[in-house]
Amino acid sequence: MVFHAAWATLLGIAVGSLPGLTATMGVALLTTLTYSLPREAAILVLICMYVGAIYGGSRSAILLNIPGTPASAATTLDGFPLAKQGRAAYAMSVATTGSTLGTLVGIVMLVALAPALSELALKFGSFEYFWLAVFGVLISGQLTSGTTPVKGYIAGILGLMVAMIGSEGIHAHVRFSFGFDQLNGGIGLIPAMVGAFGFAEVLMVMWQPKAQVVRSEGEKGAGLPRFMEAWKYRVTVLRSGIIGTLVGLIPGVGEDIGAWASYAAARRKSKERDQFGKGSIEGLTAAETGNSAVVPGALIPALTLAVPGSAPAAVLIAALFIHGIRPGPMIMIEQPDFIYLVAVMLFFATVAIFIFGISLAPVFEFVLRVPRERLMPVVFTLCVIGPYALTQRIFDIWVMVFFGFLGFALRRLGYPMPPLVLGIILGDLLDKNLRRGLTLSDGDLSPFFTRPFSMVFVALIVITIMAGIPVVRRQVGRLSGALANRGRGT
Amino acid sequence: MRADLYTAPALFILGAAMSYGGYVMDRLEIRQIHPASIPGLVPMLLGAALMLAAIVLFLQARNALASGPQPEADTGSTRDLVLTALSCGVYALLLVGNMPFPAATAIFVASFILIFEADPSKGKAHLARIAAIAIVLGVAVAAATSILFRYAFLVRLP
């Protein structure tokens, strides 16, 4: 187990370090390499890849000013200025300490929250599961679209539409196969995901200009752990850890939002606010603690509801199914120890990132210097053989290529990828539970709105959509301003 | 974004097609299923949702263009993109499945490196060095992936 944790975390850090290769892609590709491993070892390997890649993104964020994964975008704000001041190794060790502590906070919350959420989810029926799927796709679309939420919604709807292809889950009626027998079984999640995240990223990396690495040399005590800083910013660490974990709980949101939310909160509360963006240790700590805490947070809904908290968690759900584990409300009944086993695996991964992060900083600098022209064909070879290995169908390679081009085009047009993938995953859940719910109620829509949990979901969905409409946001701002003024007047 | 003005109608048509596809889908009356569980129900709703989203996207794009110049999109190398797409496409869609996987992979990896790294203006020594790297890496990647998948994961390679 220790051996698997070590190599998988190391590989994860390398994948995360390389700009363009994301944690999702790493987990997706590695899933195809874990078919023959025993179940526990396979899950451990994938979790270590996930934790390692999210942490590894900080390397290139600090040394290149390019986040290795989207999760490290906030790290560039203070990490790169520190590197330019000649303190790159120092920044990397602060990031390592922050990531370690963030994951630990997340693990504690995973152990505390997951069983309770699982118990709550046991009360869900078809009506609630339908709304849960709708909410997951909506919130993912809202939070991951850069400029306008509608693009996130469209990406989510496109994903749901892809999920409609093939044999449906209630009557086994084949939909939208257009006479192609290969489509009868539907579009495979792994080929679609490897294409959308892997091949699309190969295209993106080769399209973008090359980056220059900042060298770190001659720093005194550079690689040492930064517990003094962590203690000095203990409130920031705790706050960022909690924010990160809570962000992880929201389906489809992911590590980047966790990092930004933690960074924004740290900046708002900081006594050294003017240092943020200029090489602030507190800012760097908040960003790294926040994104790492999302990992255990994202696993909470993934394990208890089978609804992923982030894109890599989505791939992890697929991997769990492949390895015979059924995530969802029944997990605490069927495999009561599994959540605690995952917490132990996360702990292994955390120890590994701490040891490797502190001891191997120069090695990761070397990894960053591998020319993209030599790395990308290797990545693409894995994109081809990985999905093929699962079903041994050439058709899955075609699916991967199609989703690669589609993913690249959509990303260039400003459409986020996580809602698309989440739509593919949640499509079946949404479809089956809407129709099953309507059958149970004999076509009556009211249970979808009147049952207590359904009402909560409907309220959340309405608030989410309203929050995305600029006119509504402005009116709410005006109203709250007027109320505040009236409060001061009285 | 100006491109939204063109993608919105395309998305609207896709949504309409999806709704129509759901509407004309078999209702399975012969199996006496409940009308609320017809297979076309969710596709119809998704198509309608996409049409609505496409209208909102179009209106937003039109209003944004009317309100002033838009920030320019990031630019990259179109040449590198086309070459990458072509070489990856040829490998995945033509070579794999039509020739032994190790040979296809070695050719792809070596060609990819040669296409992007070889610069004839740097002289013969440079070309020879890049060609050597390309061949060694091509053979190594082909051998490593083939052995790993064939013997460790017991995959019948294409």
Side-chain angles (χ1 to χ4, degrees), chain A residues 473-490:
Chain A
R473 264 208 315 264
R474 275 198 297 274
Q475 292 295 337
V476 170
R478 249 179 240 157
L479 193 67
S480 57
L483 285 173
N485 285 339
R486 189 184 290 179
R488 273 197 292 272
T490 54

Side-chain angles (χ1 to χ4, degrees), chain B residues 124-137:
Chain B
K124 282 184 182 168
H126 161 81
L127 286 179
R129 201 179 120 258
I130 296 298
I133 290 171
I135 292 167
V136 169
L137 202 60

Side-chain angles (χ1 to χ4, degrees), chain A residues 48-120:
Chain A
C48 288
M49 160 60 78
Y50 183 9
V51 173
I54 294 301
Y55 160 73
S58 66
R59 309 283 102 171
S60 53
I62 291 166
L63 295 169
L64 297 173
N65 199 24
I66 295 175
T69 63
S72 302
T75 306
T76 57
L77 294 184
D78 291 299
F80 190 64
L82 280 167
K84 280 206 296 190
Q85 293 162 22
R87 302 170 76 197
Y90 174 75
M92 284 194 274
S93 55
V94 169
T96 303
T97 314
S99 289
T100 306
L101 295 173
T103 317
L104 289 176
V105 172
I107 293 171
V108 172
M109 289 181 73
L110 167 77
V111 172
L113 293 178
L117 191 64
S118 190
E119 204 165 304
L120 193 71

Side-chain angles (χ1 to χ4, degrees), chain B residues 26-49:
Chain B
D26 195 345
R27 305 288 167 100
L28 306 177
E29 293 101 332
I30 200 157
R31 286 160 64 181
Q32 295 183 331
I33 67 151
H34 195 285
S37 73
I38 54 167
L41 179 68
V42 175
M44 273 192 282
L45 295 175
L46 289 177

Side-chain angles (χ1 to χ4, degrees), chain A residues 385-408:
Chain A
I385 191 66
Y388 173 84
L390 185 59
T391 54
Q392 310 208 5
R393 291 194 309 173
I394 291 286
F395 177 71
D396 282 340
I397 299 178
W398 300 350
V399 171
M400 185 279 294
V401 172
F402 174 80
F403 274 89
F405 285 124
L406 179 73
F408 177 78

Side-chain angles (χ1 to χ4, degrees), chain A residues 32-36 148-151 153-154 157-158 160-162 164 168 170-176 199 202-204 206-210 371-378 380-382 384-386 388-389 392 394 397-398 400-401 405 408 412-415 427 430-432 434-436 438-439 442-443 468 470, chain B residues 1 3-4 7 11 14-15 17-18 21-22 25-26 28 31 33-34 36-43 45-47 49-50 53-54 56-57 60 73-78 80-81 84-85 88-89 91-93 96-97 101 105 108-109 112-113 116-117 129-130 133 137 141 145 148-149 152-158:
Chain A
T32 63
L33 299 177
T34 58
Y35 299 148
S36 60
T148 164
V150 76
K151 287 194 175 179
Y153 300 155
I154 289 172
I157 296 168
L158 290 176
L160 291 170
M161 285 164 81
V162 170
M164 295 301 111
E168 48 93 12
I170 293 187
H171 308 298
H173 184 71
V174 176
R175 301 183 290 198
F176 302 114
F199 182 30
V202 169
L203 293 171
M204 211 72 187
M206 293 306 294
W207 177 74
Q208 283 165 342
K210 290 181 192 176
R372 61 180 191 176
E373 291 80 7
R374 294 177 201 174
L375 194 68
M376 289 305 127
V378 181
F380 186 69
T381 302
L382 291 173
V384 169
I385 191 66
Y388 173 84
Q392 310 208 5
I394 291 286
I397 299 178
W398 300 350
M400 185 279 294
V401 172
F405 285 124
F408 177 78
R412 289 287 303 120
L413 289 167
Y415 293 87
L430 182 147
D431 180 43
K432 272 201 293 207
L434 174 66
R435 291 156 62 208
R436 199 175 282 156
L438 282 171
T439 308
D442 201 16
Chain B
M1 196 186 270
D4 294 345
T7 44
L11 289 168
L14 179 65
M18 186 82 175
M25 201 174 278
D26 195 345
L28 306 177
R31 286 160 64 181
I33 67 151
H34 195 285
S37 73
I38 54 167
L41 179 68
V42 175
L45 295 175
L46 289 177
L50 189 63
V56 174
L57 181 70
Q60 279 185 354
D74 301 334
T75 51
S77 167
T78 308
D80 285 358
L81 175 67
T84 306
C88 290
Y91 168 59
L93 304 177
V96 174
F101 178 77
T105 303
F108 165 66
V109 174
F112 196 96
I113 295 169
F116 287 102
E117 282 201 66
R129 201 179 120 258
I130 296 298
I133 290 171
L137 202 60
V141 172
T145 48
L148 184 71
F149 279 89
F153 304 136
L154 305 175
V155 173
R156 197 161 41 85
L157 291 174

Side-chain angles (χ1 to χ4, degrees), chain A residues 336-357:
Chain A
D337 298 335
F338 188 71
I339 285 172
Y340 304 108
L341 186 64
V342 167
V344 172
M345 290 173 180
L346 281 166
F347 182 74
F348 273 146
T350 311
V351 172
I353 60 167
F354 183 72
I355 293 170
F356 290 138

Side-chain angles (χ1 to χ4, degrees), chain A residues 235-310:
Chain A
V235 178
T236 305
V237 167
L238 193 64
R239 188 198 309 115
S240 305
I242 292 170
I243 290 174
T245 313
L246 294 178
V247 167
L249 273 167
I250 304 169
V253 178
E255 295 77 14
D256 46 345
I257 306 289
W260 285 115
S262 304
Y263 187 84
R267 189 178 173 179
R268 224 176 9 252
K269 301 277 180 187
S270 177
K271 290 173 190 157
E272 306 159 355
R273 200 175 305 173
D274 56 321
Q275 287 301 308
F276 276 67
K278 297 173 190 165
S280 162
I281 303 299
E282 189 178 6
L284 179 61
T285 304
E288 277 301 305
T289 308
N291 69 20
S292 292
V294 172
V295 177
L299 291 180
I300 297 172
L303 293 172
T304 56
L305 304 172
V307 175
S310 68

